Amino acid sequence: MQLYSTKNLDHKVDLKRAVFEGLPPDNGLYMPVSIPKLPSSFFEKLPDLNITEIGIEVCRCLLGDTIAETDLRNIVETAINFPAPVMQLDEQKAILELFHGPSLAFKDFGARFMAQLMSYFNQGEEQDLTILVATSGDTGGAVAAGFYQTPGIRVVILYPSGKVSPLQEKQLTTLGHNITALEVDGTFDDCQALVKQAFLDQDLRSKIRISSANSINISRLIPQSFYYFDAYRQVMDQGKKLVFCVPSGNFGNLTAGLLAHKMGLPVHHFIAATNSNDVVPAYLREGDYIPRPSVRTISNAMDVGNPSNFARMIDLFSTAKGRGVPTDNGIWKDMKGMISGYAFDDPTTEKAVQSVKTTYNYTIDPHGAVGYLALDSYQADHPDTLGLILETAHPAKFREDMERIMDGPIHIPERLAAIENDIKVSVKMGIGYKEFSSWLKDNLL
Ligand SMILES: *Cc1c(COP(=O)(O)O)cnc(C)c1O
């Protein structure tokens, strides 16, 4: 498998390099040079496959002979060891539950697969690899769980003290083993600045092998395509036009859907659902892409003002790859033919959480509720479709907001309740780089 930078078609690397590097040096994003279609034999046997077997088939097709069959099997089986069930609400609408992994959010798919792939490519290295990751909450939890006890890899998570939810903090600080949480006396931006400086520190890098677990890593995108195929498997016998409605922030999830479509998944249409951070719905409507600072909402994992995967979406619809930015009217026309955008504010989202409960007796989280609203709007004009709403996280992850909106207690899954009694272990850290780099050298060498 070869990958190119969305900013330069001539910059080509293999999968190992793309996974360890994360970002190409030109600040583009890595994309597969070739996105082959799955063979018809795959679709013939699809009804009998589970999500793990689907993942193996998709990887075999996309990765070619990059990874030997038994290793590939092992990677996918270890990473994707939980289901993504479809819950039918009525004849038109269904929920694709993506929260059955360890951190209860869809990011588990990407983080676990990335961990396995890095561990595989890291074999034979004498020195451990250290993953540095700054988090404002959700990503850190998925990365920590994903890399937990992965041989040869250590994870150092930097989070802003007092600025993540109590539950998120527990997810970062209670695992131990190869996971260390640094509690930084500053903001998320301070955490990110420390990580960035570490990557620029040649002295540190000559001593310690470091890599990032960035959300734009191609290895996080690939496994997110698996559940689109698995969802199709679960509803294909209904014979309806299939629409995927994706609550979006950085648009990795939706981009993975486009990838599945390119590989031959019969999708009728995609819906980009956002909160008030609506730069992509605005682009789809007006044709101008105007990034702006994000605003805070209750669906905070989607509070993104300049979605990083937008460059990949443009590239997928572009006939001239590797050019970077959207200038071309043809791209816009093609994209809006395949994707509709809708945005909703917090009060409307809260009402949707309540009405999904009253109408269907289903507890949907605020991110999923934005998706519900978007699908409902789309289906007003397209009633002959079956819409799948991607439920990106378990509602219990947003307990405080959910209990306020529902005006009562919500169900807390056992694995989440258990973590509340675990003991937090963190290393307190200031925002100065010297303290951070000394800590790394003292503790990782
Ligand atoms: C990360 C996240 C999103 C946004 O996903 P993107 O791939 O960035 O669009 C939506 N919902 C939840 C719960 C998330 O954690």
PDB file of all heavy atoms in Angstrom, residues 268-288:
ATOM      1  N   HIS A 268     -26.695   5.393  -0.740  1.00  0.00           N
ATOM      2  CA  HIS A 268     -27.459   6.339  -1.545  1.00  0.00           C
ATOM      3  C   HIS A 268     -27.005   7.780  -1.277  1.00  0.00           C
ATOM      4  O   HIS A 268     -26.868   8.586  -2.197  1.00  0.00           O
ATOM      5  CB  HIS A 268     -28.952   6.174  -1.228  1.00  0.00           C
ATOM      6  CG  HIS A 268     -29.819   7.145  -1.957  1.00  0.00           C
ATOM      7  ND1 HIS A 268     -29.973   7.114  -3.330  1.00  0.00           N
ATOM      8  CD2 HIS A 268     -30.571   8.184  -1.504  1.00  0.00           C
ATOM      9  CE1 HIS A 268     -30.797   8.095  -3.692  1.00  0.00           C
ATOM     10  NE2 HIS A 268     -31.159   8.761  -2.613  1.00  0.00           N
ATOM     11  N   HIS A 269     -26.743   8.083   0.008  1.00  0.00           N
ATOM     12  CA  HIS A 269     -26.432   9.463   0.367  1.00  0.00           C
ATOM     13  C   HIS A 269     -25.808   9.532   1.760  1.00  0.00           C
ATOM     14  O   HIS A 269     -26.030   8.641   2.573  1.00  0.00           O
ATOM     15  CB  HIS A 269     -27.733  10.280   0.355  1.00  0.00           C
ATOM     16  CG  HIS A 269     -27.537  11.759   0.171  1.00  0.00           C
ATOM     17  ND1 HIS A 269     -27.093  12.314  -1.009  1.00  0.00           N
ATOM     18  CD2 HIS A 269     -27.729  12.802   1.023  1.00  0.00           C
ATOM     19  CE1 HIS A 269     -27.033  13.628  -0.875  1.00  0.00           C
ATOM     20  NE2 HIS A 269     -27.404  13.945   0.348  1.00  0.00           N
ATOM     21  N   PHE A 270     -25.013  10.577   1.997  1.00  0.00           N
ATOM     22  CA  PHE A 270     -24.478  10.839   3.339  1.00  0.00           C
ATOM     23  C   PHE A 270     -25.064  12.148   3.867  1.00  0.00           C
ATOM     24  O   PHE A 270     -25.361  13.063   3.091  1.00  0.00           O
ATOM     25  CB  PHE A 270     -22.952  10.977   3.306  1.00  0.00           C
ATOM     26  CG  PHE A 270     -22.223   9.679   3.086  1.00  0.00           C
ATOM     27  CD1 PHE A 270     -21.807   9.307   1.805  1.00  0.00           C
ATOM     28  CD2 PHE A 270     -21.947   8.824   4.143  1.00  0.00           C
ATOM     29  CE1 PHE A 270     -21.137   8.111   1.584  1.00  0.00           C
ATOM     30  CE2 PHE A 270     -21.277   7.626   3.937  1.00  0.00           C
ATOM     31  CZ  PHE A 270     -20.875   7.263   2.654  1.00  0.00           C
ATOM     32  N   ILE A 271     -25.185  12.216   5.188  1.00  0.00           N
ATOM     33  CA  ILE A 271     -25.612  13.465   5.816  1.00  0.00           C
ATOM     34  C   ILE A 271     -24.541  13.898   6.814  1.00  0.00           C
ATOM     35  O   ILE A 271     -24.132  13.120   7.679  1.00  0.00           O
ATOM     36  CB  ILE A 271     -26.956  13.302   6.553  1.00  0.00           C
ATOM     37  CG1 ILE A 271     -28.041  12.850   5.572  1.00  0.00           C
ATOM     38  CG2 ILE A 271     -27.355  14.602   7.238  1.00  0.00           C
ATOM     39  CD1 ILE A 271     -29.354  12.479   6.243  1.00  0.00           C
ATOM     40  N   ALA A 272     -24.068  15.138   6.657  1.00  0.00           N
ATOM     41  CA  ALA A 272     -23.106  15.717   7.601  1.00  0.00           C
ATOM     42  C   ALA A 272     -23.909  16.502   8.634  1.00  0.00           C
ATOM     43  O   ALA A 272     -24.501  17.531   8.317  1.00  0.00           O
ATOM     44  CB  ALA A 272     -22.138  16.642   6.867  1.00  0.00           C
ATOM     45  N   ALA A 273     -23.956  15.999   9.864  1.00  0.00           N
ATOM     46  CA  ALA A 273     -24.724  16.651  10.919  1.00  0.00           C
ATOM     47  C   ALA A 273     -23.763  17.353  11.868  1.00  0.00           C
ATOM     48  O   ALA A 273     -22.830  16.731  12.368  1.00  0.00           O
ATOM     49  CB  ALA A 273     -25.542  15.611  11.677  1.00  0.00           C
ATOM     50  N   THR A 274     -23.966  18.632  12.095  1.00  0.00           N
ATOM     51  CA  THR A 274     -23.089  19.355  13.027  1.00  0.00           C
ATOM     52  C   THR A 274     -23.914  20.147  14.042  1.00  0.00           C
ATOM     53  O   THR A 274     -25.110  20.364  13.848  1.00  0.00           O
ATOM     54  CB  THR A 274     -22.142  20.362  12.324  1.00  0.00           C
ATOM     55  OG1 THR A 274     -22.902  21.501  11.900  1.00  0.00           O
ATOM     56  CG2 THR A 274     -21.424  19.744  11.132  1.00  0.00           C
ATOM     57  N   ASN A 275     -23.241  20.562  15.116  1.00  0.00           N
ATOM     58  CA  ASN A 275     -23.830  21.545  16.030  1.00  0.00           C
ATOM     59  C   ASN A 275     -23.586  22.930  15.419  1.00  0.00           C
ATOM     60  O   ASN A 275     -23.394  23.046  14.210  1.00  0.00           O
ATOM     61  CB  ASN A 275     -23.246  21.358  17.449  1.00  0.00           C
ATOM     62  CG  ASN A 275     -21.714  21.439  17.466  1.00  0.00           C
ATOM     63  OD1 ASN A 275     -21.112  22.184  16.686  1.00  0.00           O
ATOM     64  ND2 ASN A 275     -21.091  20.678  18.351  1.00  0.00           N
ATOM     65  N   SER A 276     -23.547  23.958  16.249  1.00  0.00           N
ATOM     66  CA  SER A 276     -23.418  25.319  15.698  1.00  0.00           C
ATOM     67  C   SER A 276     -22.103  25.547  14.964  1.00  0.00           C
ATOM     68  O   SER A 276     -21.947  26.546  14.265  1.00  0.00           O
ATOM     69  CB  SER A 276     -23.553  26.348  16.822  1.00  0.00           C
ATOM     70  OG  SER A 276     -24.807  26.190  17.435  1.00  0.00           O
ATOM     71  N   ASN A 277     -21.165  24.638  15.127  1.00  0.00           N
ATOM     72  CA  ASN A 277     -19.898  24.730  14.373  1.00  0.00           C
ATOM     73  C   ASN A 277     -20.142  24.147  12.981  1.00  0.00           C
ATOM     74  O   ASN A 277     -19.875  22.979  12.712  1.00  0.00           O
ATOM     75  CB  ASN A 277     -18.810  23.970  15.125  1.00  0.00           C
ATOM     76  CG  ASN A 277     -18.535  24.586  16.490  1.00  0.00           C
ATOM     77  OD1 ASN A 277     -17.886  25.623  16.579  1.00  0.00           O
ATOM     78  ND2 ASN A 277     -19.075  23.974  17.535  1.00  0.00           N
ATOM     79  N   ASP A 278     -20.660  25.004  12.094  1.00  0.00           N
ATOM     80  CA  ASP A 278     -21.278  24.490  10.863  1.00  0.00           C
ATOM     81  C   ASP A 278     -20.527  24.842   9.580  1.00  0.00           C
ATOM     82  O   ASP A 278     -21.154  25.056   8.538  1.00  0.00           O
ATOM     83  CB  ASP A 278     -22.718  25.007  10.768  1.00  0.00           C
ATOM     84  CG  ASP A 278     -22.773  26.514  10.557  1.00  0.00           C
ATOM     85  OD1 ASP A 278     -21.755  27.199  10.839  1.00  0.00           O
ATOM     86  OD2 ASP A 278     -23.816  27.009  10.096  1.00  0.00           O
ATOM     87  N   VAL A 279     -19.199  24.884   9.626  1.00  0.00           N
ATOM     88  CA  VAL A 279     -18.478  25.321   8.415  1.00  0.00           C
ATOM     89  C   VAL A 279     -18.696  24.370   7.228  1.00  0.00           C
ATOM     90  O   VAL A 279     -18.754  24.834   6.084  1.00  0.00           O
ATOM     91  CB  VAL A 279     -16.953  25.513   8.648  1.00  0.00           C
ATOM     92  CG1 VAL A 279     -16.684  26.673   9.571  1.00  0.00           C
ATOM     93  CG2 VAL A 279     -16.290  24.270   9.137  1.00  0.00           C
ATOM     94  N   VAL A 280     -18.844  23.067   7.484  1.00  0.00           N
ATOM     95  CA  VAL A 280     -19.046  22.152   6.351  1.00  0.00           C
ATOM     96  C   VAL A 280     -20.479  22.234   5.800  1.00  0.00           C
ATOM     97  O   VAL A 280     -20.648  22.369   4.580  1.00  0.00           O
ATOM     98  CB  VAL A 280     -18.618  20.704   6.695  1.00  0.00           C
ATOM     99  CG1 VAL A 280     -19.003  19.742   5.580  1.00  0.00           C
ATOM    100  CG2 VAL A 280     -17.106  20.651   6.933  1.00  0.00           C
ATOM    101  N   PRO A 281     -21.527  22.191   6.653  1.00  0.00           N
ATOM    102  CA  PRO A 281     -22.865  22.440   6.101  1.00  0.00           C
ATOM    103  C   PRO A 281     -22.938  23.770   5.335  1.00  0.00           C
ATOM    104  O   PRO A 281     -23.582  23.848   4.272  1.00  0.00           O
ATOM    105  CB  PRO A 281     -23.770  22.461   7.338  1.00  0.00           C
ATOM    106  CG  PRO A 281     -23.097  21.529   8.287  1.00  0.00           C
ATOM    107  CD  PRO A 281     -21.614  21.764   8.074  1.00  0.00           C
ATOM    108  N   ALA A 282     -22.266  24.822   5.828  1.00  0.00           N
ATOM    109  CA  ALA A 282     -22.276  26.109   5.130  1.00  0.00           C
ATOM    110  C   ALA A 282     -21.587  25.989   3.769  1.00  0.00           C
ATOM    111  O   ALA A 282     -22.063  26.525   2.768  1.00  0.00           O
ATOM    112  CB  ALA A 282     -21.597  27.184   5.977  1.00  0.00           C
ATOM    113  N   TYR A 283     -20.471  25.235   3.733  1.00  0.00           N
ATOM    114  CA  TYR A 283     -19.785  25.016   2.450  1.00  0.00           C
ATOM    115  C   TYR A 283     -20.703  24.281   1.476  1.00  0.00           C
ATOM    116  O   TYR A 283     -20.812  24.650   0.302  1.00  0.00           O
ATOM    117  CB  TYR A 283     -18.498  24.218   2.670  1.00  0.00           C
ATOM    118  CG  TYR A 283     -17.905  23.656   1.392  1.00  0.00           C
ATOM    119  CD1 TYR A 283     -17.205  24.484   0.514  1.00  0.00           C
ATOM    120  CD2 TYR A 283     -18.074  22.311   1.043  1.00  0.00           C
ATOM    121  CE1 TYR A 283     -16.678  23.987  -0.674  1.00  0.00           C
ATOM    122  CE2 TYR A 283     -17.557  21.811  -0.141  1.00  0.00           C
ATOM    123  CZ  TYR A 283     -16.857  22.641  -0.996  1.00  0.00           C
ATOM    124  OH  TYR A 283     -16.358  22.145  -2.167  1.00  0.00           O
ATOM    125  N   LEU A 284     -21.375  23.233   1.959  1.00  0.00           N
ATOM    126  CA  LEU A 284     -22.241  22.454   1.076  1.00  0.00           C
ATOM    127  C   LEU A 284     -23.385  23.323   0.536  1.00  0.00           C
ATOM    128  O   LEU A 284     -23.835  23.149  -0.589  1.00  0.00           O
ATOM    129  CB  LEU A 284     -22.795  21.230   1.815  1.00  0.00           C
ATOM    130  CG  LEU A 284     -21.745  20.159   2.148  1.00  0.00           C
ATOM    131  CD1 LEU A 284     -22.284  19.140   3.146  1.00  0.00           C
ATOM    132  CD2 LEU A 284     -21.260  19.444   0.883  1.00  0.00           C
ATOM    133  N   ARG A 285     -23.825  24.277   1.340  1.00  0.00           N
ATOM    134  CA  ARG A 285     -24.924  25.163   0.938  1.00  0.00           C
ATOM    135  C   ARG A 285     -24.447  26.255  -0.011  1.00  0.00           C
ATOM    136  O   ARG A 285     -25.054  26.515  -1.043  1.00  0.00           O
ATOM    137  CB  ARG A 285     -25.517  25.781   2.209  1.00  0.00           C
ATOM    138  CG  ARG A 285     -26.948  26.259   2.105  1.00  0.00           C
ATOM    139  CD  ARG A 285     -27.497  26.680   3.475  1.00  0.00           C
ATOM    140  NE  ARG A 285     -26.621  27.591   4.180  1.00  0.00           N
ATOM    141  CZ  ARG A 285     -26.092  27.333   5.384  1.00  0.00           C
ATOM    142  NH1 ARG A 285     -26.351  26.198   6.011  1.00  0.00           N
ATOM    143  NH2 ARG A 285     -25.293  28.212   5.971  1.00  0.00           N
ATOM    144  N   GLU A 286     -23.316  26.922   0.365  1.00  0.00           N
ATOM    145  CA  GLU A 286     -22.904  28.142  -0.346  1.00  0.00           C
ATOM    146  C   GLU A 286     -21.747  27.932  -1.319  1.00  0.00           C
ATOM    147  O   GLU A 286     -21.525  28.756  -2.191  1.00  0.00           O
ATOM    148  CB  GLU A 286     -22.439  29.220   0.662  1.00  0.00           C
ATOM    149  CG  GLU A 286     -23.290  29.360   1.923  1.00  0.00           C
ATOM    150  CD  GLU A 286     -24.530  30.199   1.665  1.00  0.00           C
ATOM    151  OE1 GLU A 286     -24.561  30.851   0.605  1.00  0.00           O
ATOM    152  OE2 GLU A 286     -25.439  30.184   2.515  1.00  0.00           O
ATOM    153  N   GLY A 287     -20.944  26.895  -1.088  1.00  0.00           N
ATOM    154  CA  GLY A 287     -19.792  26.685  -1.956  1.00  0.00           C
ATOM    155  C   GLY A 287     -18.521  27.358  -1.477  1.00  0.00           C
ATOM    156  O   GLY A 287     -17.481  27.255  -2.125  1.00  0.00           O
ATOM    157  N   ASP A 288     -18.590  28.074  -0.354  1.00  0.00           N
ATOM    158  CA  ASP A 288     -17.379  28.695   0.193  1.00  0.00           C
ATOM    159  C   ASP A 288     -17.007  28.021   1.509  1.00  0.00           C
ATOM    160  O   ASP A 288     -17.865  27.851   2.377  1.00  0.00           O
ATOM    161  CB  ASP A 288     -17.604  30.189   0.478  1.00  0.00           C
ATOM    162  CG  ASP A 288     -17.870  30.953  -0.804  1.00  0.00           C
ATOM    163  OD1 ASP A 288     -17.131  30.714  -1.778  1.00  0.00           O
ATOM    164  OD2 ASP A 288     -18.816  31.754  -0.832  1.00  0.00           O
TER     165      ASP A 288
END
